[in-house]
Amino acid sequence: MFGDTTKEWRNGVFLCHTESSFQADLLESKLRSEGIPCVKKYEGASNFIEIALGSNTSYAIDLYVPAEKLEDARNIIVPVDLDDCEEADFEK
């Protein structure tokens, strides 16, 4: 998920790749709710596809954050293995 942090774009450093516009929007929303600005960089025709079709699952979207917020952003979007989660007790 995390990649080469030496890549810079629009005054930010690379945080991660996402596989769809849904993932990018979800992570961007979470980061912004925590006070971390985030910029999406579209690859190929992904920006056009998202505008024309309302969603993009064809091309990766890269997320960039300010260098001083990189470590915080990584801690916020840590992937969690669902097999490690406890089952919720919904019968109460």
Side-chain angles (χ1 to χ4, degrees), residues 3-20:
D4 179 13
T5 58
T6 61
K7 288 184 3 182
E8 293 187 19
W9 186 68
R10 291 194 177 175
N11 299 323
V13 293
F14 178 76
L15 175 63
C16 65
H17 292 287
T18 61
E19 296 175 5
S20 68

Side-chain angles (χ1 to χ4, degrees), residues 45-91:
S46 59
N47 195 19
F48 170 76
I49 291 171
E50 185 172 332
I51 292 168
L53 302 177
S55 179
N56 167 37
T57 58
S58 302
Y59 296 91
I61 300 171
D62 294 340
L63 297 180
Y64 288 77
V65 298
E68 63 274 5
K69 299 285 188 176
L70 180 61
E71 193 62 35
D72 292 337
R74 284 183 172 171
N75 291 330
I76 289 169
I77 64 168
V78 156
V80 175
D81 186 358
L82 294 179
D83 292 333
D84 294 341
C85 295
E86 296 179 21
E87 284 191 37
D89 184 13
F90 293 109
E91 296 179 15

